[in-house]
Amino acid sequence: GENVEQHPSTLSVQEGDSAVIKCTYSDSASNYFPWYKQELGKGPQLIIDIRSNVGEKKDQRIAVTLNKTAKHFSLHITETQPEDSAVYFCAAALYSGAGSYQLTFGKGTKLSVIP
Amino acid sequence: DTGVSQDPRHKITKRGQNVTFRCDPISEHNRLYWYRQTLGQGPEFLTYFQNEAQLEKSRLLSDRFSAERPKGSFSTLEIQRTEQGDSAMYLCASSPGDRVGANVLTFGAGSRLTVL
């Protein structure tokens, strides 16, 4: 089955700096790559996603890049703010044929933005 | 619409007891998922419903676990004869039934289980 590795496990940045989180996946057939943000006491919230036919996607201060050949994808957050502090999860998914995209998550990155 | 609701938010039980969690998905979503999240880990897939039909189950879902979605709306996840290893956050998520949005999961806040 799919295996997703995520690095780093913790990341501290100064407010205004950029943060980069990297993930690799094992199953070359995976075709959907979402990123979730999880704040304390809350469920994961989708912040951006990318499909395998796209190399890069941007939404304001957040961008995701995908390298299908190397089987890795990255989350880039620019101009970080204290409210960006949370745990971020990457995931990889393959359309299972039964109507669902079964997500395999990485272990998460705890991002701390220091004011 | 208030999103995905889960109840209870926290359950403390003794080993060997049965527990049940409830999930109310977003009303127009016909797909419902259960995931388990242990401390310091990402969520792990347990099972998935399309309307009332349970279409997929992970091997993580032992025979002590049972999930239902009787009318295609809310779902329950029951754990029988709980073990300390069952301690985790149980997350419910839902997604639209149409092909375009089928893979966009909206998660609830989770139900945290502590087995003593």
Side-chain angles (χ1 to χ4, degrees):
Chain A
E2 176 68 276
N3 182 51
V4 176
E5 300 283 341
Q6 184 172 347
H7 299 281
S9 56
T10 60
L11 179 60
S12 291
V13 298
Q14 292 289 330
E15 182 177 357
D17 288 349
S18 295
V20 180
I21 302 170
K22 298 182 179 182
C23 290
T24 60
Y25 61 99
S26 61
D27 190 341
S28 57
S30 289
N31 55 11
Y32 174 63
F33 306 92
W35 286 87
Y36 284 84
K37 175 183 180 182
Q38 188 172 28
E39 297 174 320
L40 200 62
K42 297 183 179 180
Q45 179 184 16
L46 179 72
I47 56 171
I48 195 167
D49 57 10
I50 192 168
R51 296 179 182 273
S52 58
N53 59 349
V54 176
E56 184 174 357
K57 184 176 178 181
K58 190 173 182 180
D59 182 5
Q60 298 183 340
R61 297 186 297 110
I62 295 173
V64 58
T65 59
L66 171 66
N67 184 326
K68 286 177 58 180
T69 303
K71 289 189 285 187
H72 67 69
F73 55 114
S74 301
L75 177 71
H76 304 253
I77 305 174
T78 59
E79 301 172 18
T80 53
Q81 301 167 2
E83 52 265 38
D84 294 329
S85 296
V87 179
Y88 291 81
F89 292 97
C90 63
L94 173 65
Y95 182 65
S96 70
S100 76
Y101 285 79
Q102 187 177 122
L103 298 180
T104 300
F105 285 83
K107 291 187 176 181
T109 296
K110 184 176 181 180
L111 174 64
S112 299
V113 180
I114 304 164
Chain B
D1 190 358
T2 56
V4 178
S5 299
Q6 293 190 244
D7 183 71
R9 292 294 310 278
H10 196 179
K11 178 72 176 179
I12 300 173
T13 191
K14 293 182 178 179
R15 188 163 49 106
Q17 298 295 305
N18 299 344
V19 296
T20 299
F21 301 114
R22 176 181 169 122
C23 172
D24 288 89
I26 293 172
S27 58
E28 62 267 27
H29 287 183
N30 59 24
R31 294 180 178 175
L32 187 147
Y33 304 78
W34 285 99
Y35 280 77
R36 182 178 72 181
Q37 185 177 25
T38 54
L39 201 62
Q41 303 293 318
E44 296 173 293
F45 172 80
L46 292 179
T47 190
Y48 150 71
F49 290 85
Q50 169 84 22
N51 298 313
E52 66 275 7
Q54 188 174 18
L55 297 184
E56 290 186 56
K57 291 197 293 186
S58 163
R59 65 179 185 278
L60 295 175
L61 212 67
S62 76
D63 55 7
R64 295 185 299 105
F65 289 69
S66 63
E68 294 182 341
R69 194 182 183 198
K71 296 182 180 180
S73 56
F74 74 92
S75 175
T76 58
L77 177 68
E78 180 183 18
I79 309 174
Q80 296 182 325
R81 306 181 303 279
T82 52
E83 302 172 355
Q84 288 184 324
D86 297 331
S87 296
M89 176 76 84
Y90 290 86
L91 293 164
C92 177
S94 68
S95 71
D98 61 277
R99 186 173 296 179
V100 173
N103 53 322
V104 180
L105 269 61
T106 301
F107 282 88
S111 293
R112 179 168 296 282
L113 173 65
T114 302
V115 181
L116 302 176

